[in-house]
Amino acid sequence: MKMNKLFSLLAFLILVSISLPVMAQVNPQNLNNIRVDELSDDQVRAFMRQLEASGMGDGQLEQMAQSRGMRPEEIKKLRERVDKLKNSDKQKSGQGDPKKIQSKTSADGRQLNYETDSLSNQRDPETEAEKALNELRSKIFGADLFKNSKLTFEPNLSIATPKNYVVGPNDELLIEIYGNSVASYNLKVSPEGNINIEFVGIIPVSGLSIEAATSRIRSRLSTVYSGLRNGSTNLNIALGNIRSIKVILTGEIVRPGTYTLPSLANVFNALYSSGGPTENGSFRSIELIRGGKKIATLDIYDFLMKGEMADNLRLQDQDIIRVPVYESRIEIVGEVKRPGIFELRLTESFKDLLRFAGDFTENAFRARVKVLRNTEIERKIGDINSDKFDAYQPNTGDKYFVDRVLERFVNRVSIEGAVFRPGDYELDPGLTISQLINKAEGLKEDAFRQRAYITRLKPDNQTELISVDLAGVLNGSVKDIPLLREDVISVSSIFDLKEEYEVSIDGEVREPGTFEYAEKMTLEELILKAGGFTEAATSQRVEISRRVKNSNLTAADAITAQVFQVDIDKDLNFSKPKFELQPFDIISVRSSIGYEVQRQVKVEGEVLYPGMYTIISKDERVSDLLRRAGGLTALGYAKGASLKREGPAKTDRKNAIDQNEEEQNKINKLNRLQENVKDTVGIKVQEEILKNVYVGIELDKILENPGTQADLILEEGDVLRIPKQLQTVKVNGEVLYPVTTIFSQGRGFKHYISQGGGFSNRSLKRRSYVIYANGSVKSTSKIFFFNNYPAIAPGAELFVPQKVDKRPLSAAEIVGISSGLASLAVIILNLVK
């Protein structure tokens, strides 16, 4: 995708964001605080991937981006960053449906006793376009917790009743008495906070924990069930269907308000229902207020970092959850495992920030971290050394950059080419070229020992090439060369310094082709590699053509190739003297004299013995074949006989080239026909004719005078077809009603056209033609100003082409032509005068 399209998509996203509902105190599409220079490469790459995945259309980048606060210079920088990363990369080569708690039912049948107001974290679905835009913004650590559809924080209705659960109105108590006495009660706590037990009376339980309520109920029941005092009767009290509570969420909440929640809900349940903190909300100082007093402060980082939920208290009716504005946020990007924006307390140091970010990655430069800090007037940059990480105090708005280690080596040398283990090696103190070759397990047998090269970096990072007498260094006659950092030693192979040798063989061998040359290769060995002789081959006069290296360029009759003719044993007897080949020899094996392969033709239709026939002699003709087939039957129509010929066989390279040229000429003819004549039926017939090469023969004349020029000599693949007596004529093309009509002796072309309703208004009469049953074609000719149409025979097909549509001249063209003619007339008159 081109960059203008990518940034047009960015514009579209910004435009879409205008119509999105803005959450409380949040504007996630605001781009005025984006500084492209501070974006990491990973953020820009993620933006590129998201844009490509979205497949959106074009738009106006500058207008849309600026309307959302992004400065034009930042747009330009972003475009440059993306271009740079794309070039660099080339070189190196669901959120689910809301969960509704009120539909939940526990395994023991416990349900809610109310209709909830807002229990699911309902968020507008994030489009692919919004995802792409958000890739440019650093992520606030913990913000995804309340957007994750897999973490719903719904209260568990199947747990055992907690002992500290406070009973309230609308709770259902399940009272079971068993032992010497048996009774069961399902009682709902009244709005006044009481339950009414038969024979016992009203017992107030509201405001008591389930443990205290059990003790009170036991005390009252013991007045009726005496067994409860001595242990012969037991009592079990559990919570049935639970009540609802009202909880207020305020402050920096995505959707603040009053929420109806189950009485088993805790702080996390309420935060998830309301969408969690906004971008300005604190994740570390969430307050739980009960009865006007702050009873707990929830730090979400405890859950994210350690999985602890100690302050995630169970809520009570009329509790207030307040999310204050964050006090301090710091951003860290680069080579950390979890880059993003983190909330720090005033007592925490850079070491804590690094812990929240998951510590350094494996490729991080750990000795120093760069920081951008805001002052009261402007920004400043600073460096933090690793020994100050524990004591360094971050300020809100700081942005820390962790760089990668440098892509360079302090002690690397390389060797490549004809050694057994090429690659990178450690530069030991005093390492020389011979020692490095020993580290690489020595030179290969094909190594070129006369010369090797060292590519060396000069102090200014320019390269220089140092030539080395490799053989002299290895035998000690030349002083060994000490190596420096980033030296690259290149050892060539003798095969790299010469053209690859090969020989070719064609003709009557089983697998002709080109083969790799080996020293002292003989002619017999090459024939053996080519699969041996074919049955048609002769071992006599095998021809070898060889390159000439000392041709006299000044002579007109200079020799261009050296040719040898060799007779060899057809059984490839290697005991006899052998002809030794040279690189680039071309060997041709001829066919045996008089060797012929059977060639067959086919006879179809109205003959006594139709079928395949083998050509007996080179001069066998159509009449001879018809005589062997027993002659025509009583219904055979000699004038309609046709001969289909497939064309010359591809026996050698020249024939193949000639046939390809012939086929191309046929295609060109067909293309010209299609351009000039819009006749679909005629074109199909022409295509068939060009493919099969129909030969128009006159069998009746051949039978009368066999052996004449009209009696064609047969070729392999010929198909002679004798039809039955034909009685119809086809009319196709630009006639009013294409038809097949009965042949009438003596009737002309226009008679059959009238059988088809006559010419249409779009017919091109002067180009009409007739295809006869024997495959021959005749077109309409001109005699003075009149059309001379071809004669019609039984089985013929008449084709009337269509006129080419011509665009009428426009008024401007007519005026232009008229002006030109008038100017020409004036010039002629002036010349005459």
Side-chain angles (χ1 to χ4, degrees):
M1 186 182 292
K2 297 181 179 179
M3 281 313 302
N4 60 348
K5 183 170 287 189
L6 298 180
F7 287 93
S8 298
L9 173 58
L10 175 62
F12 179 83
L13 302 180
I14 300 168
L15 180 62
V16 170
S17 69
I18 298 175
S19 61
L20 295 175
V22 180
M23 296 181 181
Q25 306 179 31
V26 180
N27 187 5
Q29 306 298 335
N30 188 9
L31 304 177
N32 61 354
N33 59 349
I34 289 181
R35 293 181 175 84
V36 177
D37 292 336
E38 299 176 6
L39 295 176
S40 66
D41 288 347
D42 291 338
Q43 285 178 293
V44 179
R45 283 193 176 97
F47 169 68
M48 293 164 57
R49 288 193 299 268
Q50 202 66 51
L51 280 176
E52 292 174 356
S54 63
M56 303 296 291
D58 294 338
Q60 298 296 327
L61 169 66
E62 288 77 7
Q63 178 182 356
M64 299 298 179
Q66 290 177 12
S67 68
R68 299 305 298 159
M70 192 171 185
R71 295 190 294 273
E73 57 268 23
E74 297 299 327
I75 297 173
K76 181 179 178 182
K77 289 179 182 179
L78 182 59
R79 183 181 295 111
E80 293 172 352
R81 282 284 299 278
V82 173
D83 286 337
K84 183 178 178 181
L85 286 177
K86 288 178 66 178
N87 294 333
S88 175
D89 292 342
K90 287 180 181 179
Q91 292 173 357
K92 291 181 179 180
S93 45
Q95 192 164 339
D97 294 335
K99 311 291 185 185
K100 295 188 178 295
I101 298 179
Q102 62 268 27
S103 64
K104 288 281 188 177
T105 302
S106 68
D108 59 1
R110 181 184 294 170
Q111 298 180 354
L112 301 181
N113 272 337
Y114 63 96
E115 293 292 331
T116 57
D117 293 330
S118 178
L119 284 170
S120 59
N121 185 352
Q122 299 176 0
R123 293 178 177 271
D124 295 326
E126 189 175 34
T127 64
E128 292 294 332
E130 291 169 342
K131 290 180 182 178
L133 185 60
N134 288 334
E135 293 296 344
L136 294 177
R137 302 167 59 86
S138 294
K139 303 296 185 296
I140 297 175
F141 182 60
D144 290 338
L145 179 64
F146 301 103
K147 301 176 184 177
N148 190 347
S149 60
K150 296 180 181 179
L151 292 175
T152 59
F153 294 107
E154 294 178 356
N156 188 355
L157 304 182
S158 300
I159 63 175
T161 306
K163 291 184 178 181
N164 60 351
Y165 177 81
V166 178
V167 179
N170 289 327
D171 276 342
E172 184 181 35
L173 298 181
L174 306 179
I175 302 174
E176 298 289 340
I177 300 172
Y178 57 95
N180 289 342
S181 300
V182 177
S184 177
Y185 302 97
N186 292 348
L187 303 175
K188 188 174 183 180
V189 181
S190 67
E192 292 77 18
N194 303 321
I195 59 173
N196 190 353
I197 302 178
E198 188 179 8
F199 306 122
V200 176
I202 295 175
I203 304 175
V205 293
S206 180
L208 299 178
S209 66
I210 193 69
E211 188 176 22
T214 300
S215 178
R216 177 175 291 184
I217 294 171
R218 176 186 292 273
S219 175
R220 294 291 299 273
L221 284 174
S222 62
T223 60
V224 177
Y225 300 97
S226 58
L228 291 173
R229 296 194 188 99
N230 56 27
S232 61
T233 301
N234 297 311
L235 174 66
N236 179 59
I237 298 178
L239 187 65
N241 293 338
I242 60 177
R243 72 183 188 279
S244 67
I245 59 174
K246 295 288 186 179
V247 179
I248 301 172
L249 287 97
T250 184
E252 293 297 323
I253 290 288
V254 172
R255 288 187 298 276
T258 300
Y259 287 79
T260 301
L261 301 175
S263 56
L264 291 176
N266 53 36
V267 178
F268 266 108
N269 302 143
L271 288 174
Y272 182 81
S273 299
S274 63
T278 67
E279 285 194 348
N280 293 327
S282 173
F283 283 77
R284 308 200 62 188
S285 302
I286 299 175
E287 301 171 353
L288 176 58
I289 301 172
R290 182 173 295 163
K293 295 180 180 180
K294 182 171 68 175
I295 64 170
T297 300
L298 180 66
D299 187 350
I300 295 178
Y301 279 24
D302 288 341
F303 172 73
L304 295 173
M305 300 299 298
K306 298 178 287 185
E308 296 180 358
M309 303 179 70
D311 294 321
N312 186 25
L313 302 180
R314 183 169 291 106
L315 298 174
Q316 295 186 14
D317 194 39
Q318 300 305 315
D319 277 354
I320 298 175
I321 298 174
R322 190 180 79 88
V323 178
V325 176
Y326 68 87
E327 292 184 357
S328 174
R329 273 189 184 164
I330 293 93
E331 183 177 0
I332 183 169
V333 295
E335 292 301 319
V336 290
K337 296 174 183 176
R338 194 163 46 227
I341 300 173
F342 298 87
E343 185 177 347
L344 261 66
R345 290 176 174 163
L346 299 179
T347 57
E348 292 174 332
S349 66
F350 177 77
K351 191 72 174 179
D352 296 306
L353 174 64
L354 200 57
R355 176 169 56 87
F356 293 149
D359 213 337
F360 294 113
T361 65
E362 296 78 7
N363 298 321
F365 175 60
R366 302 165 183 251
R368 187 170 58 253
V369 174
K370 181 171 62 176
V371 58
L372 292 181
R373 173 163 289 183
N374 297 327
T375 67
E376 295 181 357
I377 301 175
E378 55 192 0
R379 310 185 82 193
K380 69 175 183 179
I381 191 170
D383 292 324
I384 312 171
N385 295 326
S386 58
D387 57 348
K388 298 181 180 179
F389 286 172
D390 291 336
Y392 189 84
Q393 191 69 34
N395 289 346
T396 184
D398 285 356
K399 186 169 185 177
Y400 295 87
F401 297 87
V402 181
D403 295 328
R404 294 175 65 92
V405 294
L406 298 177
E407 291 293 336
R408 57 174 290 170
F409 294 85
V410 296
N411 62 341
R412 180 178 66 175
V413 290
S414 303
I415 186 169
E416 60 186 18
V419 293
F420 284 102
R421 293 189 183 277
D424 299 335
Y425 289 89
E426 178 187 1
L427 177 62
D428 299 324
L431 183 68
T432 63
I433 188 171
S434 62
Q435 293 172 348
L436 180 59
I437 291 174
N438 289 333
K439 279 190 173 185
E441 305 296 342
L443 299 175
K444 290 184 177 180
E445 294 80 359
D446 60 332
F448 182 70
R449 298 170 181 262
Q450 280 70 30
R451 192 67 57 191
Y453 294 94
I454 301 175
T455 304
R456 175 165 291 173
L457 285 180
K458 298 168 69 174
D460 60 355
N461 266 358
Q462 295 189 58
T463 58
E464 63 176 337
L465 201 63
I466 301 174
S467 178
V468 180
D469 181 358
L470 192 57
V473 169
L474 295 179
N475 62 30
S477 61
V478 176
K479 184 179 178 181
D480 209 350
I481 300 176
L483 299 177
L484 301 179
R485 184 183 69 84
E486 295 297 346
D487 278 355
V488 179
I489 294 84
S490 300
V491 181
S492 299
S493 168
I494 58 175
F495 299 112
D496 297 334
L497 304 177
K498 66 180 182 180
E499 188 177 359
E500 184 177 355
Y501 288 167
E502 57 185 27
V503 290
S504 301
I505 184 170
D506 59 12
E508 295 299 331
V509 289
R510 296 179 63 233
E511 298 178 7
T514 300
F515 298 86
E516 184 179 354
Y517 172 78
E519 287 190 28
K520 298 184 179 180
M521 176 184 280
T522 64
L523 176 60
E524 290 81 359
E525 291 169 342
L526 177 60
I527 293 174
L528 191 63
K529 279 191 172 186
F533 292 113
T534 64
E535 185 186 15
T538 176
S539 60
Q540 310 300 314
R541 298 176 65 85
V542 177
E543 187 172 279
I544 301 99
S545 59
R546 181 166 294 168
R547 289 183 178 181
V548 176
K549 299 180 180 179
N550 55 355
S551 178
N552 184 6
L553 298 179
T554 61
D557 57 349
I559 297 175
T560 59
Q562 192 175 5
V563 178
F564 304 92
Q565 287 187 347
V566 180
D567 296 340
I568 62 174
D569 189 276
K570 193 165 186 178
D571 296 328
L572 300 178
N573 189 346
F574 286 87
S575 62
K576 296 182 179 180
K578 297 173 283 294
F579 185 88
E580 190 171 310
L581 300 176
Q582 296 294 328
F584 310 110
D585 281 356
I586 299 176
I587 293 85
S588 299
V589 180
R590 311 298 183 192
S591 297
S592 298
I593 298 175
Y595 185 87
E596 292 287 344
V597 178
Q598 300 96 321
R599 298 178 297 163
Q600 289 191 310
V601 294
K602 186 177 183 180
V603 182
E604 298 177 342
E606 294 299 317
V607 293
L608 294 179
Y609 302 103
M612 300 296 298
Y613 288 85
T614 300
I615 298 176
I616 299 175
S617 63
K618 291 185 177 181
D619 62 346
E620 186 169 8
R621 298 175 181 269
V622 174
S623 59
D624 300 326
L625 176 62
L626 201 57
R627 189 179 306 111
R628 291 170 62 187
L632 303 183
T633 65
L635 296 178
Y637 181 50
K639 290 185 178 181
S642 62
L643 181 67
K644 183 174 71 174
R645 179 161 291 176
E646 295 181 354
K650 299 181 180 179
T651 55
D652 52 33
R653 294 179 182 176
K654 184 177 184 304
N655 287 342
I657 294 173
D658 292 343
Q659 186 173 16
N660 289 338
E661 292 178 354
E662 182 179 352
E663 293 297 327
Q664 187 61 45
N665 291 335
K666 295 175 184 176
I667 293 173
N668 293 338
K669 290 179 181 179
L670 181 60
N671 290 338
R672 288 196 297 270
L673 177 66
Q674 291 173 334
E675 290 176 359
N676 296 328
V677 181
K678 294 185 177 179
D679 177 16
T680 55
V681 179
I683 288 173
K684 289 180 181 178
V685 175
Q686 291 292 341
E687 288 177 346
E688 182 67 19
I689 291 173
L690 293 177
K691 285 180 182 178
N692 296 313
V693 192
Y694 282 94
V695 180
I697 60 173
E698 297 177 341
L699 187 59
D700 53 338
K701 295 182 179 179
I702 292 175
L703 294 176
E704 291 176 2
N705 299 299
T708 59
Q709 186 176 0
D711 192 2
L712 298 180
I713 296 175
L714 298 174
E715 294 185 6
E716 182 179 11
D718 282 354
V719 178
L720 179 63
R721 185 176 181 278
I722 314 297
K724 287 185 179 180
Q725 182 68 39
L726 300 175
Q727 300 175 345
T728 60
V729 174
K730 292 183 180 179
V731 181
N732 280 316
E734 286 301 318
V735 293
L736 295 179
Y737 187 77
V739 69
T740 299
T741 185
I742 298 175
F743 173 77
S744 299
Q745 188 68 36
R747 296 288 187 175
F749 186 92
K750 287 189 175 181
H751 167 75
Y752 296 100
I753 293 294
S754 65
Q755 296 294 311
F759 293 108
S760 70
N761 293 332
R762 301 173 61 84
S763 62
L764 189 61
K765 301 177 184 179
R766 57 188 176 86
R767 291 289 181 88
S768 300
Y769 56 94
V770 177
I771 298 179
Y772 295 98
N774 64 355
S776 60
V777 181
K778 286 187 178 181
S779 61
T780 301
S781 59
K782 279 280 188 179
I783 298 179
F784 297 108
F785 299 103
F786 304 100
N787 292 327
N788 182 27
Y789 296 108
I792 307 301
E797 290 187 65
L798 285 67
F799 290 93
V800 181
Q802 179 182 334
K803 291 179 181 178
V804 178
D805 293 332
K806 294 182 179 180
R807 182 178 62 85
L809 294 176
S810 64
E813 291 172 334
I814 294 173
V815 171
I817 295 173
S818 302
S819 302
L821 292 175
S823 301
L824 181 61
V826 172
I827 293 172
I828 294 174
L829 288 175
N830 290 333
L831 291 175
V832 170
K833 291 180 180 180

